[in-house]
Amino acid sequence: MSSSISLRLARHLSTSAATATAATSSTSGASISISKAKSKLKSEHDPDKALKIYSSVSDHYTSPLSSRYAQEYTVKRLAKSHRFSDIEVFLESHKNDKKITEEPFLSSIIRSYGIAGMFDHALKTYHQMDDLGTPRSVVSFNVLLSACVNSKLYDRVPQLFDEMPKKHRFLLDKISYGVLIRSFCEMGKTELAMERLKEMEEKGVEVTVVIYTTILHSLYKGGKSDDAERIWNEMVKRGCGPDVGAYNVKIMNFQGGDPERVKGLIEEMSNAGLKPDTISYNYLMSCYCRNGMMDEAEKVYEDLETNGCNPNASTFRTLIFYLCRSERFEAGYRVFRESVTANKIPDVNTLKYLVHGLVNSSKVKDAKEMIRIMKKKFPPNVVKVWIKLEHELGLAKAEDSDNKRS
């Protein structure tokens, strides 16, 4: 990151963010690699600290892609704290970088605005490409379409899809069609998505397994299992998969039913030479949970590593929630501690459920430790939820008593 951008951030961002940035800039040898920044940002939830980490990133990276994820993590942290004006200052400062004339670099700004749900800013940046001297192709257009979807403005995608290629004279590709089809599916208009499949075939544009999977997901979600099976068979007939993602969508449709059916699909994947992933096993675990088979669900969780997978936030959220429903709060607390170690902490509501359960089952010490960890891990806008809960449950008083005794 250039010194001019650091100075601009220090002047315009919030006082605390500016202090963090200035502190880093003034430290000799504080620059770190992009990979190190990405690793630190994954576990950092405080937006000001995220800005500080990003500000310390070395500017000796070889391509915009290498810094894209660090930028996106920073924007996500700011967006979660609703600091949209800071996001604007942060991203607009990048337009003064000499690399702005490179389409991938500018596209990363558009993508980040989309992640923050700030589509008008993404579109404005796209329109500025001529003035900034940045060449325009289907690459930046596909990022713009994705920003529109990330901002949940699905109805605007077809308009952009039909207008922009004609205006700027570039050809659409399979990624463009993939985003368009996803927008139709998100709106529940699978019939329009199917029409675009035919259009792709007519124009010789490759229909990918990702596109088929998007349509399958929409059909299963809408309860149209027969239509989904027809699409599945068409996909197989064309030799276009299925892959792990397609199987996971199919498994999702059965996760509320018989666990043996889900196990059968996972075995089918393995027999086809595909490796079931964490999502596959999450669905199996969820299926066991919904059927009240908690021992089996915990076994799936415990065997993840053996199966070459790592638990994600959804794994921890689902298992903790159902352990609480089964009043197995001690086990839920153990899984919570493992989620902290993995930096995959579940959502606030799930953890509040666990804290209440621990208190009601006289596990006050564990409840206090949970809140202590959450207050340490998260920024002020999230911490206030835990401070409020701490007082509601009388844990703050218990903390004071413990301190006096010690």
Side-chain angles (χ1 to χ4, degrees):
M1 190 176 192
S2 69
S3 58
S4 60
I5 294 176
S6 296
L7 289 171
R8 203 158 28 251
L9 282 171
R11 283 198 300 268
H12 291 94
L13 293 181
S14 66
T15 303
S16 55
T19 301
T21 303
T24 304
S25 299
S26 64
T27 303
S28 177
S31 181
I32 62 173
S33 68
I34 288 289
S35 60
K36 180 68 173 177
K38 284 164 56 180
S39 177
K40 293 177 72 175
L41 284 165
K42 282 182 181 179
S43 58
E44 183 53 67
H45 297 274
D46 187 303
D48 292 320
K49 291 180 181 178
L51 278 166
K52 180 178 178 180
I53 293 168
Y54 187 88
S55 298
S56 67
V57 169
S58 169
D59 59 2
H60 298 300
Y61 50 83
T62 57
S63 72
L65 182 62
S66 64
S67 64
R68 168 184 144 193
Y69 294 108
Q71 176 179 300
E72 290 178 5
Y73 277 124
T74 305
V75 168
K76 286 177 182 177
R77 300 302 180 249
L78 288 166
K80 200 164 186 179
S81 296
H82 304 284
R83 288 174 48 180
F84 300 106
S85 60
D86 284 349
I87 291 173
E88 181 178 7
V89 172
F90 175 64
L91 293 177
E92 290 299 308
S93 70
H94 287 68
K95 293 180 182 179
N96 295 300
D97 193 297
K98 62 183 180 181
K99 292 184 291 297
I100 196 63
T101 57
E102 301 170 8
E103 188 177 19
F105 183 86
L106 183 140
S107 295
S108 71
I109 299 174
I110 295 174
R111 181 181 288 103
S112 290
Y113 272 132
I115 288 171
M118 300 169 68
F119 180 69
D120 288 343
H121 289 74
L123 184 60
K124 179 182 176 182
T125 300
Y126 184 77
H127 286 318
Q128 289 175 336
M129 291 180 74
D130 290 334
D131 294 335
L132 293 169
T134 314
R136 183 186 277 109
S137 74
V138 71
V139 172
S140 52
F141 177 66
N142 288 343
V143 173
L144 180 68
L145 287 184
S146 296
C148 196
V149 169
N150 287 335
S151 300
K152 303 188 185 305
L153 299 174
Y154 309 117
D155 58 333
R156 293 186 66 175
V157 173
Q159 179 185 357
L160 292 168
F161 187 92
D162 292 334
E163 290 180 0
M164 291 299 183
K166 295 175 184 176
K167 181 178 179 181
H168 298 294
R169 298 180 182 179
F170 56 78
L171 294 176
L172 298 162
D173 62 12
K174 60 187 179 184
I175 297 174
S176 317
Y177 275 96
V179 180
L180 175 67
I181 286 171
R182 181 185 168 190
S183 71
F184 283 134
C185 289
E186 292 286 358
M187 290 188 285
K189 299 179 178 180
T190 50
E191 68 284 354
L192 294 179
M194 302 289 285
E195 287 178 13
R196 295 294 181 153
L197 272 185
K198 295 178 183 177
E199 182 181 314
M200 292 179 73
E201 293 170 3
E202 292 169 359
K203 293 186 175 182
V205 180
E206 178 189 359
V207 181
T208 66
V209 66
V210 173
I211 291 174
Y212 274 120
T213 301
T214 300
I215 295 174
L216 282 168
H217 182 272
S218 181
L219 290 170
Y220 278 128
K221 189 177 178 181
K224 300 177 181 178
S225 296
D226 291 341
D227 290 338
E229 288 301 314
R230 182 171 58 80
I231 291 294
W232 181 278
N233 293 333
E234 179 184 322
M235 176 177 64
V236 173
K237 184 178 179 181
R238 289 178 175 274
C240 189
D243 62 4
V244 174
Y247 265 107
N248 283 342
V249 165
K250 195 169 189 176
I251 291 171
M252 177 198 68
N253 186 53
F254 297 107
Q255 66 171 321
D258 182 4
E260 291 302 314
R261 183 69 186 273
V262 175
K263 280 182 65 178
L265 285 170
I266 289 177
E267 289 172 6
E268 185 180 316
M269 289 172 66
S270 299
N271 293 336
L274 299 170
K275 184 179 179 299
D277 61 10
T278 300
I279 295 172
S280 315
Y281 291 112
N282 279 354
Y283 284 140
L284 177 59
M285 186 184 73
S286 177
C287 193
Y288 279 132
C289 287
R290 292 181 181 192
N291 282 275
M293 304 167 70
M294 293 308 301
D295 290 340
E296 290 81 354
E298 287 190 87
K299 184 69 166 58
V300 173
Y301 168 70
E302 290 164 1
D303 287 346
L304 278 175
E305 188 174 347
T306 303
N307 289 317
C309 299
N310 294 312
N312 58 23
S314 180
T315 311
F316 292 116
R317 180 179 64 249
T318 300
L319 188 54
I320 290 173
F321 174 78
Y322 281 101
L323 285 170
C324 288
R325 283 191 60 174
S326 302
E327 297 187 353
R328 296 168 67 168
F329 301 111
E330 191 170 349
Y333 178 69
R334 173 180 56 81
V335 175
F336 161 74
R337 293 302 298 255
E338 290 167 0
S339 79
V340 173
T341 301
N343 284 318
K344 302 289 183 182
I345 301 174
D347 62 286
V348 170
N349 288 332
T350 299
L351 296 185
K352 284 172 68 177
Y353 190 10
L354 177 56
V355 170
H356 277 280
L358 289 170
V359 171
N360 291 336
S361 58
S362 301
K363 302 287 183 181
V364 175
K365 183 178 179 181
D366 291 341
K368 285 161 56 180
E369 179 63 10
M370 267 193 74
I371 291 180
R372 187 191 69 78
I373 291 171
M374 299 306 290
K375 286 163 67 176
K376 183 179 178 181
K377 277 278 184 181
F378 290 92
N381 67 306
V382 177
V383 167
K384 64 184 180 183
V385 174
W386 295 104
I387 293 174
K388 181 181 178 182
L389 183 63
E390 189 176 40
H391 283 85
E392 287 176 354
L393 296 175
L395 297 178
K397 292 178 181 178
E399 184 76 34
D400 291 339
S401 298
D402 289 345
N403 290 336
K404 287 177 181 178
R405 280 196 296 270
S406 62

